[in-house]
Amino acid sequence: MRLIKELMTCTATVGLLAGLAATPAAAEKWDMPLAYAATNYHSENAADFAKCVGVGTKGALEIVTHPSGSLFKGNEIKRAVQTGQAPIGERLLSAHANENAIFGIDSIPFLATSFDAAEKLSQAATPTLEKILDSQNLVLLYSVPWPPQGLYFKKEVNSVADMKGIKFRSYNTATARMAELAGMLPVQVEAAELSQALATGVAEAFISSGATGYDRKVWEQLTHFYEVDAWLPRNTIFANKDAWNGLDDAKRAAIEVCAKTAAKAGLNRAIAYTDFTLNGLREGGMKVQKAGDQLRADLNKIGETMSDEWLKQAGAEGKAVVDKFKGM
Ligand code: PCA
């Protein structure tokens, strides 16, 4: 018995030493702030990306994800990475369209309304986005779409006239502008705080994917989801340029390989999460339906105004990206 015990202790010690030997002494740790729930597919995808980097660098670079805005809130993440407070992070770039209109390219109403079109638009925009992010001390790694955007209300809505005066939660410049043009009152709220904003009456309606409505269990307050397919915004994953330049070639190569895998896996997850979450809204008791003709026509008009405004703000650089997309 004693012998067995001794043998077990010995085996455990050898195992522990082997484990220690396999971990290089100078393992580097990167904290990765995320804005959305741990169970959301963006966060799960980022966790897999982190795992992939760990394996690809044989443990020499450990990326630790921090979902739900726990390390930095959504609206703080970009600045945190730019300034090196975090070496890597994920952010909805369209929320920063006030810095550069091109960041809002994925939120132009009715320009790209399917996963296929959204991927093409992203491809068309990537070189320009890389350049702009580079000028902000950021390295673009990959991006992943949200499902098509639809409208959430706590009553039946058949036209834009029905929306007048409603307190509308926005998540970027485009959603705030849409609210204004529809006669609603925009209030910017991060997804992590959405349930609370609805529960306290700070917001009564919003535009988003089925995914965010599902994650935030909005059936507890709201009753109707109208499928509008207005656009498919993206979460972009970027690194601080100094942190990136500080990595050796092998680590950078591992990140690049994992980023490519994560982009593909993220897209597939987004597609799968679309129907799953719309069904989840139904199961929660919400009426999920296509927007009616009048509502659609009214939104198209608002969309035209917003597209014109965007083109004016984004100038020749923006037009070039849109033209490239349209020619794909
Ligand atoms: N969910 C995010 C952005 C787009 C989406 O589908 C949100 O509502 O904050």
Side-chain angles (χ1 to χ4, degrees):
M1 185 64 192
R2 204 161 134 218
L3 184 67
I4 291 176
K5 245 191 183 168
E6 266 174 17
L7 267 176
M8 279 173 66
T9 317
C10 181
T11 315
T13 312
V14 169
L16 197 71
L17 285 175
L20 285 177
T23 311
E28 201 172 334
K29 185 181 152 210
W30 274 17
D31 286 311
M32 181 174 185
L34 310 170
Y36 303 93
T39 52
N40 178 273
Y41 70 92
H42 285 283
S43 306
E44 288 177 347
N45 202 53
D48 279 357
F49 163 75
K51 231 182 265 162
C52 174
V53 172
V55 172
T57 61
K58 300 197 179 65
L61 178 58
E62 187 198 357
I63 297 183
V64 181
T65 59
H66 300 269
S68 295
S70 56
L71 190 59
F72 290 99
K73 289 200 159 73
N75 58 2
E76 301 166 343
I77 291 175
K78 182 164 175 286
R79 176 133 297 275
V81 181
Q82 272 178 251
T83 55
Q85 292 175 77
I88 188 169
E90 175 189 81
R91 177 61 174 152
L92 190 80
L93 267 192
S94 61
H96 299 274
N98 57 332
E99 296 167 23
N100 191 315
I102 306 277
F103 288 154
I105 187 128
D106 60 27
S107 305
I108 300 172
F110 309 115
L111 177 63
T113 59
S114 66
F115 281 108
D116 253 16
E119 286 311 291
K120 283 190 182 140
L121 182 59
S122 167
Q123 234 176 292
T126 294
T128 310
L129 288 172
E130 274 173 347
K131 200 184 70 189
I132 299 165
L133 290 173
D134 179 78
S135 75
Q136 297 185 332
N137 204 36
L138 295 169
V139 178
L140 194 162
L141 297 176
Y142 67 92
S143 69
V144 172
W146 285 96
Q149 304 292 288
L151 288 163
Y152 289 87
F153 292 104
K154 55 180 185 187
K155 63 171 190 179
E156 188 181 313
V157 167
N158 296 311
S159 67
V160 161
D162 290 345
M163 300 180 193
K164 212 172 160 51
I166 288 177
K167 285 181 261 174
F168 190 79
R169 174 262 175 170
S170 64
Y171 62 72
N172 66 8
T173 326
T175 49
R177 183 68 184 135
M178 176 176 256
E180 275 171 9
L181 289 169
M184 298 188 282
L185 310 166
V187 48
Q188 180 99 8
V189 178
E190 287 297 319
E193 274 100 48
L194 179 57
S195 309
Q196 203 191 348
L198 293 171
T200 55
V202 167
E204 314 165 280
F206 65 102
I207 183 167
S208 190
S209 56
T212 292
Y214 176 83
D215 289 347
R216 307 275 49 123
K217 298 190 172 60
V218 301
W219 52 82
E220 287 173 4
Q221 279 87 28
L222 308 182
T223 51
H224 289 72
F225 179 73
Y226 292 98
E227 292 174 71
V228 173
D229 299 347
W231 61 79
L232 290 81
R234 306 180 80 82
N235 280 358
T236 300
I237 289 72
F238 40 68
N240 172 278
K241 197 161 65 170
D242 306 315
W244 174 257
N245 288 338
L247 296 175
D248 61 32
D249 287 350
K251 285 186 193 132
R252 280 202 294 257
I255 292 182
E256 274 167 357
V257 169
C258 294
K260 274 210 183 92
T261 309
K264 267 198 209 127
L267 170 63
N268 288 335
R269 281 181 144 117
I271 294 168
Y273 212 50
T274 303
D275 282 345
F276 171 77
T277 52
L278 289 181
N279 284 332
L281 295 180
R282 283 189 191 99
E283 276 162 29
M286 291 189 75
K287 222 173 171 187
V288 176
Q289 60 204 319
K290 301 252 178 245
D293 291 345
Q294 183 61 51
L295 178 55
R296 191 155 269 287
D298 290 351
L299 291 172
N300 275 334
K301 242 194 223 148
I302 288 177
E304 276 169 30
T305 306
M306 289 174 62
S307 304
D308 290 348
E309 288 174 353
W310 184 86
L311 274 172
K312 259 189 218 131
Q313 286 159 7
E317 203 173 36
K319 186 176 180 305
V321 175
V322 171
D323 289 348
K324 188 167 156 196
F325 161 67
K326 286 185 172 162
M328 286 168 104

